[in-house]
Amino acid sequence: MDLQSITVLDLSRLLPGPYATHLLAEMGADVVKVEAPNGGDYARYAEPTVDGDYGAMFAAINQGKESITLDLKSDEGREAFLRLAAEADVVFEQFRPGVVDRLGIGYDDVEERNPDVIYCSLSGYGQSGPYSDRVGHDLNYAGFAGLLDMTRRDEEERPRITGYPVGDMAGGVFSALSIVGALLGRELGNTGGNYLDVSMTDAVLSFSQAVGSLANAGEDPRPGETNLTGLYPCYDIYETSNGRHLTLAALEPKFWENLCAAIDRPELVDKHQSDDPAVRRAVRDELREVFGSRSLAEWEADLGEQEVMIGKVNTPREALDDPHLRNRGVVDADGEGFPRIGYPAEVHHGLSGGGGQAPGLGEQTSDVLRRFGFEAAEIDALFDSGAVEGS
């Protein structure tokens, strides 16, 4: 996983693309944010702000990166970018389809100078298809992919906005995965350079395998009517006496039997996944009464370590403070800079990057240009022309 020899030119902003390059930076890649002068990534200024007035989201997913400014609409800025791209391993962009081609920095333009480049375009609906030119945000992609329809208890409820921006994050994950796969193919000699067209809508749809398989079989899965969306009382969310909630996921008979024994309800064992709606309602009502009789902390203390498949519903703050997640190291509150959510896996070798603070706008402009072979006079000329800003 050690990507320390890999250089990524990151043209993306806000959340989806920067999350993808955040993952690559965690693996050690040198990620250079290429930002427009006079503002750069909009997320820099989004409320709430932390860590020297950076937007909290910006600080979280841009630590350990470098920032340069380039006016890609100017001849000087475009030519400077193509010189950088000629030496880079990866170019990553998140503009609307067609924008990079109009700017003269699209895949064909870069490949002409760097045939081995991995060029990734992340967009809402992809570079092709009837919706490719549509504008959108995470909520739109989740709706198109069928996710929002399945967020309801039943069809009587309106679809709910997901608690996390699933489309943005899925697009970032699939982009990072595709880039690493393309780099591996290149290094193994199976391919040279490659072009990757990643759609956030496609990525969300890929997450639908549990219900998508039913749809492909000719069914139309309905919210609350599949085994993973609340059909059975053994897989549901229950309120406790103090207004908190716990999850129950006892799908397998052995875990259901363990639960029934733990709550002293042996008569429920043979009603595990009944086909009778009336029986399911009665079991769910019984479980609501049982779990509503004690607090979340009491249930966690009594059943948390037993094999009954229950869990706490944490708030985001509680999740960050959870001793298990702290122990795993996914939450880094002790490193340099703003506390962050790091790479979501423990790896023996290769997670060498991602630390430090998020970069100031154009903070490494001169350093990066020098590293890519620009002479001092050329750098001065770029600053004089207004094609670059920073330091």
Side-chain angles (χ1 to χ4, degrees), residues 203-227:
V204 178
L205 185 65
S206 180
F207 284 175
S208 75
Q209 303 295 344
V211 293
S213 57
L214 300 176
N216 279 330
E219 300 182 31
D220 189 13
R222 297 289 76 221
E225 296 182 11
T226 72
N227 62 350

Side-chain angles (χ1 to χ4, degrees), residues 202-330:
D202 294 354
V204 178
L205 185 65
S206 180
F207 284 175
S208 75
Q209 303 295 344
V211 293
S213 57
L214 300 176
N216 279 330
E219 300 182 31
D220 189 13
R222 297 289 76 221
E225 296 182 11
T226 72
N227 62 350
L228 297 181
T229 60
L231 175 63
Y232 298 119
C234 65
Y235 196 88
D236 210 340
I237 301 167
Y238 292 93
E239 186 174 356
T240 63
S241 64
N242 61 333
R244 300 298 303 276
H245 294 84
L246 60 78
T247 56
L248 173 65
L251 287 173
E252 296 86 350
K254 66 177 182 178
F255 296 120
W256 178 250
E257 293 169 9
N258 292 344
L259 174 75
C260 293
I263 63 174
D264 194 25
R265 294 296 189 279
E267 70 276 10
L268 298 182
V269 169
D270 62 354
K271 300 174 182 178
H272 181 209
Q273 294 184 8
S274 173
D275 292 331
D276 186 339
V279 171
R280 295 199 299 270
R281 282 195 298 272
V283 172
R284 187 172 273 113
D285 288 344
E286 181 74 11
L287 291 178
R288 284 172 177 161
E289 182 178 347
V290 169
F291 289 125
S293 67
R294 306 181 71 187
S295 71
L296 177 61
E298 290 174 315
W299 284 119
E300 174 64 18
D302 282 358
L303 300 183
E305 300 303 320
Q306 296 192 42
E307 295 194 352
V308 297
M309 289 287 188
I310 72 157
K312 299 176 289 184
V313 175
N314 281 327
T315 67
R317 179 70 261 172
E318 289 170 338
L320 291 174
D321 290 335
D322 191 284
H324 173 77
L325 296 174
R326 287 294 179 94
N327 180 268
R328 290 280 299 168
V330 66

Side-chain angles (χ1 to χ4, degrees), residues 339-356:
R340 65 194 183 96
I341 302 170
Y343 195 83
E346 287 193 357
V347 179
H348 284 185
H349 305 289
L351 290 182
S352 56

Side-chain angles (χ1 to χ4, degrees), residues 36-53:
N38 302 315
D41 188 341
Y42 311 147
R44 285 182 174 276
Y45 318 105
E47 296 290 342
T49 59
V50 294
D51 198 21
D53 292 330

